[in-house]
Amino acid sequence: MAISGIINTNTSALSTLNALNGTQGSLNTYLQQLSTGKSINGPADNPAGYAIAQRFQTQINGMNQAISNGNQGVSLVQTATGAIQNQTSLLQQIRTTAVQAANASNTTSDRQALQGVVSQLLAQVQTIATQTQFNGQNLLDGTFAGAAFQVGANSNQIINVAVGDTTTSSMGNYSTTVSGGAYTSSGSFQMGGYAAGGSFTISTSSGAGNFLSGSALNIQGSVGNASVSVNSSTESAANLAAAVNGVSAQTGVSAQAYTSVAFKATAGTYTFTLSNGSSGAPTNAVNISADVTQGSNGQANISSLVTAINNQAAVTGVSAGTQTVNGTTELVLTNANGNNINISAGVTNGGALSGAGLASGSTGSLQAVSGTGVSLVGTAITSGSANALIQGAVQFNSASSYAIGNGGSIGFSTQATSLSGSAVSNINVTTAAGAQQAIGIVDQAINYLNQQNGSLGAIQNRIQASVSNDQTTATNLQSAQSVVQDANIAQATSQLTKYQILQQAGISTLAQENSLQQSYLKLLP
């Protein structure tokens, strides 16, 4: 190339300067990458990559917060389950006390003292229910329902949590009430069927039975639905309870049976056959004979009849006792398993109850009575009356409300939607019957608390699994974001070195170009 000799415009120097500016820009880019560790430090670096990296960052931030949310949720659930465990421990103590109070060795004052213990324990159960809090929120009084833990980075990625009401008025045994005549005009159902002499329906018309044969009890519980059949009008409560328990896993409703009937007995002679059974047909029949005399207090002295019946209790399963109601001494016959109690003059050759109640020549009479007012039930059992079939009551048990279709066929209402006096707060162990009822109430309350803790435990596991998944996802998102925006340090260092060399070369070249222009000045005269 020929030397142009131009000094007004140094074209070569301008080209070198332009190249040097480009080198400086690239040098600045790699210096920034090395100082921040990112290949994309702004939208201008890579518009599409910048948008992708920001979307990743949004998800990462959300995931990190979701992890924190989940850990707080686990802490809340653990607070609730710990409190429920303490309530369960207190209810276990109450149940033990109720079992103690149910024993006949206790006097009235003993049971009153035990009730004092129970009352204090119940107060603490209630205190835990109303005072257990997390971040100022009550957890166990029924108000913490429909809560949602945000365990994901996006909207509606939640886990719903509801903690049941564990106050003493909201836990207990949902029991059915009587309906129709089976336990009113034809029997007695007191204290949910737990009272001595208050759990029976009696038939004194040739043992016909008071249940509706062929009907189906449709049990609709908290778990699901199932049906059991009433096979005969003389079906025993024990058989019905066994059928209900056979499908309890499908319904969440269990049952037990109890037969206890109270009689007003007159002075006189008694000879009859006592038997049990699951229907009208007698089983384990024994002969009972006793002479009941008139006491000095004007009451029949039934101790001999009680003794005669108890002597055969190992065979019949029927025990005898006495109770005094409004000054009247009553004979109480009980089959604790809920089998039928049959009273007849004998058993026919065909294995059925004979028609009469007491054997010919008996001068005494038994009159079934009901309630605290000693109301007469049915006709008196005498040598001239029909035999008597006594059926017990089914005690339905559940920690949740339920319905029984055709419940009237065995003497019950169809709905059990409230605790109906069987709440934990109503526990009273000042009587043996109350203590027996308390055991059933506490059992269902413990079942309820176990259900709550089981549900909360499952929720805790679910939240922890979600947190673990969030942590894994956040890690993978960070890895994906790194691929998009993080700088390759080795490559950036190599490029930096390259552009540093080019910069030095450009500066040196620019100096040479400027020196050439200055050399033309020597041509001036």
Side-chain angles (χ1 to χ4, degrees):
M1 171 186 265
I3 299 176
S4 62
I6 298 171
I7 63 173
N8 189 52
T9 301
N10 192 344
T11 305
S12 298
L14 292 175
S15 297
T16 302
L17 183 61
N18 185 49
L20 188 59
N21 287 334
T23 300
Q24 185 63 45
S26 297
L27 185 62
N28 290 339
T29 297
Y30 287 106
L31 283 171
Q32 189 177 33
Q33 286 186 14
L34 289 171
S35 63
T36 63
K38 296 179 180 180
S39 63
I40 302 174
N41 290 286
D45 294 334
N46 184 340
Y50 179 82
I52 293 171
Q54 288 304 307
R55 286 198 296 271
F56 278 133
Q57 190 61 50
T58 299
Q59 290 296 302
I60 291 168
N61 291 341
M63 284 295 178
N64 289 335
Q65 185 57 55
I67 291 168
S68 177
N69 291 352
N71 288 329
Q72 291 177 34
V74 168
S75 297
L76 184 148
V77 170
Q78 288 175 333
T79 300
T81 55
I84 291 175
Q85 286 175 332
N86 287 331
Q87 287 183 305
T88 302
S89 178
L90 291 168
L91 287 177
Q92 294 283 12
Q93 296 179 53
I94 292 172
R95 190 184 190 281
T96 301
T97 305
V99 171
Q100 180 182 357
N103 196 36
S105 63
N106 293 292
T107 64
T108 300
S109 59
D110 291 335
R111 290 195 175 101
Q112 288 175 343
L114 292 173
Q115 178 60 35
V117 174
V118 168
S119 296
Q120 292 298 319
L121 294 173
L122 287 176
Q124 185 57 31
V125 173
Q126 180 71 4
T127 297
I128 292 174
T130 56
Q131 296 184 4
T132 299
Q133 294 184 333
F134 186 89
N135 195 29
Q137 300 179 85
N138 288 343
L139 299 182
L140 304 181
D141 63 355
T143 59
F144 196 82
F149 291 131
Q150 179 71 31
V151 293
N154 302 318
S155 61
N156 294 322
Q157 293 181 338
I158 60 176
I159 293 178
N160 291 313
V161 181
V163 183
D165 190 346
T166 66
T167 57
T168 55
S169 60
S170 300
M171 297 187 297
N173 184 20
Y174 283 81
S175 57
T176 53
T177 57
V178 299
S179 174
Y183 297 106
T184 53
S185 61
S186 300
S188 178
F189 188 81
Q190 300 175 50
M191 292 184 63
Y194 287 93
S199 183
F200 75 94
T201 177
I202 186 169
S203 304
T204 52
S205 177
S206 300
N210 285 328
F211 297 157
L212 182 59
S213 178
S215 61
L217 303 179
N218 300 311
I219 304 172
Q220 303 171 4
S222 59
V223 177
N225 304 335
S227 180
V228 299
S229 298
V230 181
N231 297 318
S232 70
S233 62
T234 59
E235 189 90 14
S236 69
N239 268 14
L240 291 171
V244 172
N245 288 332
V247 296
S248 63
Q250 304 173 41
T251 64
V253 179
S254 62
Q256 62 187 56
Y258 187 61
T259 307
S260 188
V261 56
F263 291 102
K264 181 180 179 181
T266 64
T269 59
Y270 290 83
T271 299
F272 58 91
T273 296
L274 182 66
S275 60
N276 61 17
S278 59
S279 63
T283 56
N284 302 313
V286 298
N287 293 324
I288 303 294
S289 293
D291 185 13
V292 175
T293 60
Q294 192 75 17
S296 58
N297 59 354
Q299 300 269 353
N301 185 355
I302 59 177
S303 59
S304 59
L305 183 57
V306 170
T307 299
I309 294 171
N310 284 335
N311 285 340
Q312 300 295 331
V315 178
T316 63
V318 179
S319 60
T322 62
Q323 65 180 10
T324 301
V325 179
N326 292 343
T328 301
T329 301
E330 298 175 353
L331 170 69
V332 179
L333 300 183
T334 299
N335 186 297
N337 295 322
N339 289 316
N340 293 343
I341 299 174
N342 305 313
I343 299 175
S344 64
V347 178
T348 67
N349 291 333
L353 299 174
S354 62
L358 302 183
S360 177
S362 297
T363 59
S365 69
L366 297 172
Q367 175 68 63
V369 292
S370 172
T372 57
V374 197
S375 302
L376 303 182
V377 179
T379 60
I381 303 171
T382 66
S383 59
S385 72
N387 59 44
L389 168 66
I390 298 112
Q391 295 165 281
V394 179
Q395 299 161 342
F396 293 93
N397 303 310
S398 179
S400 304
S401 61
Y402 56 93
I404 302 176
N406 293 327
S409 63
I410 60 170
F412 289 107
S413 63
T414 59
Q415 299 288 331
T417 57
S418 66
L419 294 175
S420 302
S422 296
V424 170
S425 58
N426 299 129
I427 288 176
N428 189 326
V429 299
T430 57
T431 64
Q436 294 288 354
Q437 186 181 32
I439 294 171
I441 292 173
V442 174
D443 282 344
Q444 294 307 316
I446 291 174
N447 287 341
Y448 174 76
L449 292 181
N450 289 340
Q451 291 170 5
Q452 292 300 309
N453 256 351
S455 176
L456 290 173
I459 288 173
Q460 178 179 333
N461 289 337
R462 185 181 173 191
I463 294 174
Q464 288 174 329
S466 180
V467 168
S468 177
N469 182 65
D470 287 347
Q471 290 171 332
T472 300
T473 302
T475 299
N476 290 332
L477 287 174
Q478 287 174 333
S479 176
Q481 185 189 41
S482 174
V483 172
V484 174
Q485 75 171 12
D486 284 353
N488 185 329
I489 300 301
Q491 181 185 29
T493 301
S494 176
Q495 292 296 315
L496 176 66
T497 302
K498 168 187 171 181
Y499 286 111
Q500 284 177 332
I501 293 173
L502 288 174
Q503 184 186 49
Q504 293 173 10
I507 292 172
S508 176
T509 302
L510 182 60
Q512 290 295 325
E513 294 292 347
N514 290 333
S515 175
L516 179 62
Q517 292 289 78
Q518 290 175 357
S519 66
Y520 289 135
L521 296 176
K522 296 178 181 180
L523 299 176
L524 294 174

